[in-house]
């Protein structure tokens, strides 16, 4: 079965209209109040990104809400008095280095985020070796701060090229209203006899979609235990895997999925697929949202995602590729909503403090009694 327009999540006549996907943003307060509150803050950082795809819009919304960040145009980077934040150093490496050094001469701060620090930190390829050498030298300049979004405890070599780390924004970005909306959807969910394992986001080989489809189609035992759902646009090169999944009884929602609909997909799931090959091992976004909601994730044994789950106590099921079907057929870790909430609060406090220090921003004012 293929769902082309409606998510197979908590659906039916009993679902209240204000919890339909198109209305989740309104329940979460949208971005209007938070965004307006952040506009016009003195010294609010400028955020530069060459691309607006993938995780970047979600990251910018967090920076806008927390720091009043504004998008930066290329021509404003050099002379802006406000601190400048490069959202992804890897996509504009030379620009980040040159702008950072020039601004350092003016006594102005520049911060860069490493969204994929693994290759830069450990790869023996020449293009990564010279970039690694440059980042190591930049650590001597106090006006330039490079931050990894993978903690050093998860990827120790990142400490050689970054001045510090934050937690991936999607490990701590959900608002209280968004949590309430997800919980309301879960309360009205109509679970069947099988558990729901969902692959969320773009579906491609980098996210293990080929394996996701193959193990479901090949294992009658898994099909008896689970409903597999692929929720997101399928890459053209992986169209045949989508067909294999559907022929095996799985579901594909082969289109762009809005942020609100993604929350509905989490609400409908018992576990989230994060079993990515090495090429996708840096991505913690899908995992992060699941962790915030206390949902168990399926990860590849020995991966960065596995290390993060083990270190931060995220509910997870880790397996090797050859034993994945058998592991999935066993019991899943229980959902741990309270643990996820507390972890997200800690990630937010630590990450905001690190970013604030790197950007040279004053600590937020706190109300004091008379």
């Amino acid at each position: 079965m293929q769902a082309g327009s409606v998510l197979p999540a908590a659906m039916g006549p009993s679902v209240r209209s204000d919890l339909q996907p198109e209305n989740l943003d309104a329940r979460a307060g949208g971005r209007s109040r938070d965004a307006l509150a952040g506009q016009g803050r003195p010294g609010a950082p400028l955020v530069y990104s060459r691309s607006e795809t993938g995780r970047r819009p979600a990251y910018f919304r967090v920076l806008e809400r927390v720091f009043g960040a504004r998008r930066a145009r290329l021509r404003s980077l050099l002379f802006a008095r406000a601190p400048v934040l490069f959202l992804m150093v890897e996509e504009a490496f030379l620009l980040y280095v040159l702008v950072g050094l020039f601004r350092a001469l003016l006594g102005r701060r520049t911060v860069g985020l490493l969204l994929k620090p693994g290759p830069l930190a450990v790869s023996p390829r020449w293009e990564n070796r010279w970039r690694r050498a440059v980042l190591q030298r930049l650590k001597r300049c106090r006006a330039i701060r490079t931050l990894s979004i993978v903690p050093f405890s998860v990827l120790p070599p990142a400490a050689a090229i970054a001045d510090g780390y934050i937690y991936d924004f999607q490990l701590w970005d959900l608002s209280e209203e968004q949590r309430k909306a997800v919980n309301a959807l879960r309360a009205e969910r109509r679970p069947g006899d099988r558990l729901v394992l969902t692959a969320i986001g773009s579906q491609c080989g980098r996210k293990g979609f080929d394996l996701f489809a193959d193990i479901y189609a090949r294992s009658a035992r898994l099909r008896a235990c689970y409903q597999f759902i692929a929720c997101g646009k399928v890459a053209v090169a992986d169209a045949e895997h989508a067909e294999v999944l559907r022929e095996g009884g799985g579901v594909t929602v082969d289109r762009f999925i809005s942020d609100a609909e993604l929350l509905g997909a989490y609400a409908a799931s018992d576990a989230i697929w994060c079993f990515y090959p090495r090429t996708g091992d840096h991505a913690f976004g899908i995992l992060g949202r699941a962790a915030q909601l206390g949902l168990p994730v399926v990860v590849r044994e020995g991966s960065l995602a596995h290390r993060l789950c083990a270190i931060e106590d995220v509910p997870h099921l880790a397996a090797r590729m050859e034993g994945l079907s058998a592991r999935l057929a066993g019991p899943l870790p229980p959902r741990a909503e309270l643990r996820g909430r507390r972890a997200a609060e800690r990630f937010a406090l630590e990450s905001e403090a690190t970013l604030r220090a790197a950007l040279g921003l004053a600590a937020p004012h706190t109300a004091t009694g008379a």
Side-chain angles (χ1 to χ4, degrees):
M1 176 174 65
Q2 179 175 9
S5 60
V6 181
L7 284 176
M11 300 189 309
S14 66
V15 179
R16 302 196 307 270
S17 63
D18 63 332
L19 292 179
Q20 296 294 345
E22 63 270 20
N23 293 314
L24 275 173
D25 281 330
R27 284 179 56 83
R31 60 184 289 270
S32 57
R33 284 182 294 176
D34 287 336
L36 289 173
Q39 291 177 357
R41 293 186 196 174
L46 299 177
V47 178
Y48 175 77
S49 177
R50 182 172 289 176
S51 171
E52 294 288 332
T53 61
R55 296 173 280 171
R56 296 170 186 83
Y59 287 3
F60 180 80
R61 286 195 293 271
V62 178
L63 292 165
E64 184 182 43
R65 184 182 77 237
V66 176
F67 301 111
R70 300 161 290 159
R71 283 184 171 84
R73 296 187 178 183
L74 188 59
R75 64 174 180 266
S76 65
L77 296 179
L78 290 176
F79 298 101
R81 293 184 178 276
V84 167
L85 172 66
F86 278 73
L87 202 55
M88 184 177 182
V89 169
E90 296 92 330
E91 71 176 358
F93 186 82
L94 284 177
L95 182 64
Y96 169 65
V97 173
L98 294 175
V99 168
L101 290 173
F102 181 83
R103 287 174 53 81
L105 293 175
L106 302 178
R108 295 169 187 173
R109 288 179 180 257
T110 306
V111 177
L113 300 182
L114 294 173
L115 270 58
K116 302 177 183 179
L120 288 177
V122 302
S123 172
R125 298 179 59 144
W126 179 84
E127 60 267 32
N128 288 319
R129 289 205 312 269
W130 75 261
R131 291 183 179 191
R132 183 157 60 240
V134 170
L135 290 174
Q136 288 169 345
R137 285 162 176 77
L138 282 184
K139 284 167 65 72
R140 303 172 185 172
C141 181
R142 300 298 299 175
I144 305 174
R145 302 283 87 183
T146 305
L147 302 177
S148 167
I149 69 162
V150 179
F152 293 163
S153 58
V154 176
L155 184 66
I161 60 173
D163 299 286
Y165 67 86
I166 63 171
Y167 289 91
D168 190 310
F169 293 103
Q170 290 180 307
L171 278 161
W172 50 275
D173 65 345
L174 291 182
S175 68
E176 186 59 30
E177 288 302 315
Q178 287 172 316
R179 288 179 179 277
K180 289 179 179 178
V182 170
N183 287 335
L185 279 174
R186 287 192 69 86
E188 299 200 18
R189 177 186 173 195
R190 295 174 177 174
D193 296 330
R194 296 180 295 171
L195 300 171
V196 175
L197 177 62
T198 307
I200 293 179
S202 58
Q203 303 301 318
C204 57
R206 183 174 56 82
K207 291 189 175 181
F209 178 59
D210 50 346
L211 179 63
F212 181 79
D214 185 62
I215 64 169
Y216 194 65
R218 289 176 178 270
S219 175
R221 186 180 179 188
L222 273 188
R223 294 195 299 274
C225 298
Y226 285 94
Q227 173 71 76
F228 273 29
I229 299 175
C231 188
K233 186 67 178 174
V234 177
V236 174
D238 291 276
E240 63 180 85
H241 298 302
E243 186 61 29
V244 167
L245 178 63
R246 290 192 292 268
E247 288 178 353
V251 174
T252 62
V253 185
D254 186 6
R255 60 178 174 81
F256 172 78
I257 306 298
S258 71
D259 287 345
E261 290 174 311
L262 288 177
L263 294 179
Y266 283 108
S269 302
D270 296 291
I272 302 297
W273 175 266
C274 296
F275 197 102
Y276 303 155
R278 292 185 182 277
T279 53
D281 198 18
H282 58 272
F284 292 159
I286 301 300
L287 183 153
R289 293 284 177 80
Q292 290 187 71
L293 296 167
L295 280 171
V297 293
V298 179
V299 296
R300 178 171 55 84
E301 188 174 306
S303 64
L304 291 180
H306 182 201
R307 285 182 57 83
L308 177 74
C309 289
I311 291 170
E312 301 297 348
D313 197 24
V314 174
H316 67 284
L317 185 152
R320 298 180 183 274
M321 186 178 299
E322 58 272 15
L324 180 56
S325 293
R327 290 282 287 128
L328 280 174
L332 279 176
R335 182 168 174 255
E337 182 187 355
L338 182 59
R339 190 199 314 173
R341 179 189 295 271
R342 288 175 175 170
E345 291 172 353
R346 176 170 58 84
F347 297 156
L349 286 173
E350 294 181 14
S351 299
E352 289 178 24
T354 299
L355 280 167
R356 194 173 294 279
L359 292 165
L361 301 177
H365 294 293
T366 57
T368 59

